[in-house]
Amino acid sequence: MTGTEHADTGAGGQLWAGRFSTPPAPEAHALGRSLHVDVRLAPYDVAASIAHVGALQRAALISGPDAEALEAALRSIGEEIAGGTFLFEDRDEDIHSAIERALTHRLGDLGARLHAGRSRNDLVVTDLRLWLLDSGATLRHASTALARTLIARAREHTMTVMPGTTHLRAAQPVTLGHHLLAHAWALARDLERLGQWSTRTSVSALGAGALGTSTLGLDPSATAASLGLASAFTNSLDAVSDRDFVQEWLAVAAIEASHLSRLAADVARWTDPAIGWAELDEAYATGSSMMPQKRNPDTAELARGKAARVAADFTSVTALLQGLPLGYHRDLQEDKEPAFDAADTLALVLPALDGCVATLTFDVDAMRAACAEEGLYATDLAEALVRAGVPFREAHRRTGELLKRTAAEGRGLRELTAEEWAAFGVPDGASALDPDAAVRARDGAGGPGAGSVQMQADALEALLDGPLTRP
Ligand code: ARG
């Protein structure tokens, strides 16, 4: 295709040239042009246009052979765009106008029939819904893969003890499996949100026109069905104004990105040589250009840092929408870059973090050694007193006093004599200072014990094998 594909119009060949005698000022055109962004919608614009051809045919506005010719031309335009041979023109404002221009050039009058009963307002919404639904499938796939990696790693470590922390300070012993599955559960909720969003997003706006449908007797439900979407719009003004589906997509993405950032933060922390609970595979680590000893967690840090831009994408569309009266406004063109950016960012982060977690070498001895910290068992000692009938507040105070006294004496709990334990009220206190015993004692549902971790892993796998991971 060449620059000769100009439609024969007066004012610079724009779609609205009939009413205008002056083409857009170059700087206004430059501001308004979104082709570099929305070219990604091309396959969906072709699909939506073919669906609209079907609507025109069903309404007897075009003949069967004409519909076939339109469809064939649309398909070949789609192929040229995908193959990089399509020649865009400077006046192509966006992907919709580029495709319609080419169609009209190729088919003349017949191409000019396509836009009947349709506006870029209902078209762009339908295109973007289709794009996001496909992108949602990619996100679902990558999120499921990471969740499965976490489950597999957790199954290796149902009995691996480690200090659980609050405020990053030693709190109570847990298992590594339990900690890894906590991240997997967060991903399962992300998948659930994604599925609910997909259901709400599977709506076609075609037939809504610019804002108030058309007089042409089109059947929006049939158009929706031909696009594989669950339903058609129920209010044409809502159909062209609504960007909830973008905002919600970004909310889902931002929540997931923050989950990934928290997983990444754990990876970065555990692999800090000062902690030494895990080691990064070299393929997911970076050296320093100056300091030869370094093995830096850049993959994890970027997975953590990228959450900021996805949150900004959500904020950007939320700010765009609030206060905007109903109906189409050109402001809405700004919805696509954040939506694409969030999808691209998660598509980059998820596989990298997945590989990083899959190849971590855990140092189970270092984790066990860190469980020597006796503060980890203080709550269990207080609970032993509770089991012996002491009110918890009293048990908490007595245990605190024991810790204070031994610290003042420069001794550890492990140095207490049998008599001292008996005086404290927990004769077998010494045996409580053991991470395996502490974790075994917490094997109830949802707890860090090995049985619970196995049950959680089974439950998560059943979830991932079920509807959660289907479109
Ligand atoms: N490029 C536009 C967008 O993304 C398409 C819709 C244009 N509609 C209009 N009334 N100017 O929003």
Side-chain angles (χ1 to χ4, degrees):
M1 186 182 306
T2 68
T4 59
E5 278 200 304
H6 280 280
D8 188 24
T9 51
Q14 258 66 32
L15 297 171
W16 55 85
R19 175 68 180 79
F20 281 61
S21 29
T22 310
E27 57 274 25
H29 181 60
L31 173 63
R33 201 165 194 250
S34 58
L35 183 64
H36 59 291
V37 175
D38 56 37
V39 66
R40 299 176 72 168
L41 295 177
Y44 305 95
D45 202 75
V46 167
S49 295
I50 289 173
H52 186 64
V53 167
L56 295 175
Q57 191 192 346
R58 276 189 295 277
L61 294 164
I62 54 172
S63 68
D66 281 354
E68 272 169 36
L70 279 166
E71 185 175 332
L74 282 164
R75 281 196 201 288
S76 75
I77 290 170
E79 278 156 24
E80 286 168 28
I81 296 174
T85 57
F86 184 89
L87 285 185
F88 288 101
E89 295 187 1
D90 183 50
R91 69 185 162 134
D92 294 336
E93 190 179 87
D94 54 25
I95 190 61
H96 326 288
S97 42
I99 290 177
E100 196 191 335
R101 170 188 57 74
L103 190 73
T104 306
H105 176 76
R106 290 171 195 201
L107 300 181
D109 234 21
L110 179 56
R113 290 178 186 277
L114 174 69
H115 211 57
R118 178 178 96 157
S119 158
R120 282 183 294 164
N121 300 354
D122 57 349
L123 181 59
V124 71
V125 165
T126 307
D127 289 3
L128 188 54
R129 283 177 185 270
L130 291 168
W131 191 96
L132 286 175
L133 285 168
D134 267 4
S135 171
T138 309
L139 178 57
R140 184 178 299 114
H141 191 74
S143 306
T144 306
L146 175 57
R148 288 195 194 281
T149 297
L150 287 164
I151 296 168
R153 301 300 328 250
R155 283 197 189 281
E156 295 166 30
H157 294 287
T158 57
M159 316 252 276
T160 302
V161 291
M162 70 187 292
T165 59
T166 64
H167 311 268
L168 284 188
R169 279 128 174 102
Q172 294 184 312
V174 295
T175 53
L176 176 57
H178 191 57
H179 193 129
L180 291 170
L181 288 189
H183 289 298
W185 282 113
L187 280 172
R189 290 192 297 279
D190 293 330
L191 284 162
E192 187 182 36
R193 265 185 286 273
L194 191 59
Q196 291 162 347
W197 165 86
S198 300
T199 306
R200 268 190 291 282
T201 299
S202 187
V203 176
S204 166
L206 286 180
L211 78 165
T213 71
S214 73
T215 58
L216 299 176
L218 305 179
D219 177 358
S221 303
T223 312
S226 70
L227 280 171
L229 294 170
S231 63
F233 65 90
T234 44
N235 177 312
S236 62
L237 179 56
D238 182 38
V240 296
S241 309
D242 165 31
R243 294 295 184 280
D244 295 5
F245 69 98
V246 182
Q247 207 178 4
E248 192 181 358
W249 156 262
L250 289 168
V252 170
I255 293 171
E256 174 155 356
S258 68
H259 286 151
L260 301 178
S261 80
R262 299 179 79 176
L263 169 57
D266 273 339
V267 169
R269 177 166 175 266
W270 294 346
T271 57
D272 174 353
I275 291 183
W277 293 350
E279 201 177 344
L280 290 166
D281 189 279
E282 283 186 5
Y284 296 93
T286 333
S288 158
S289 58
M290 182 168 173
M291 300 169 284
Q293 83 282 13
K294 287 292 216 155
R295 183 188 282 216
N296 290 329
D298 294 30
T299 303
E301 288 170 336
L302 283 166
R304 187 171 63 192
K306 292 280 188 189
R309 64 186 290 156
V310 182
D313 291 332
F314 170 76
T315 308
S316 155
V317 169
T318 300
L320 180 72
L321 294 174
Q322 59 193 9
L324 203 61
L326 289 188
Y328 180 81
H329 308 266
R330 194 60 176 273
D331 312 46
L332 292 173
Q333 181 165 287
E334 292 295 311
D335 61 355
K336 281 173 277 311
E337 267 175 289
F340 294 160
D341 182 70
D344 293 345
T345 303
L346 287 176
L348 268 180
V349 167
L350 276 161
L353 194 55
D354 189 352
C356 183
V357 171
T359 56
L360 277 180
T361 306
F362 291 107
D363 188 336
V364 299
D365 296 331
M367 289 184 188
R368 176 171 291 278
C371 289
E373 159 64 50
E374 58 190 25
L376 288 168
Y377 309 96
T379 310
D380 286 5
L381 290 174
E383 286 178 2
L385 289 175
V386 167
R387 287 196 301 279
V390 180
F392 179 71
R393 273 295 141 234
E394 165 70 10
H396 188 289
R397 190 185 55 75
R398 265 157 68 176
T399 310
E401 280 169 3
L402 179 70
L403 291 171
K404 183 158 80 176
R405 179 161 56 80
T406 50
E409 294 165 0
R411 302 197 292 160
L413 292 180
R414 288 188 178 79
E415 292 160 61
L416 291 183
T417 62
E419 293 72 37
E420 284 172 304
W421 280 119
F424 175 66
V426 183
D428 60 349
S431 65
L433 308 176
D434 170 54
D436 298 305
V439 161
R440 249 196 323 273
R442 291 186 166 68
D443 206 16
S452 159
V453 172
Q454 251 146 30
M455 270 165 55
Q456 292 180 52
D458 293 345
L460 272 164
E461 253 156 22
L463 269 178
L464 297 180
D465 290 340
L468 211 54
T469 54
R470 284 188 211 123

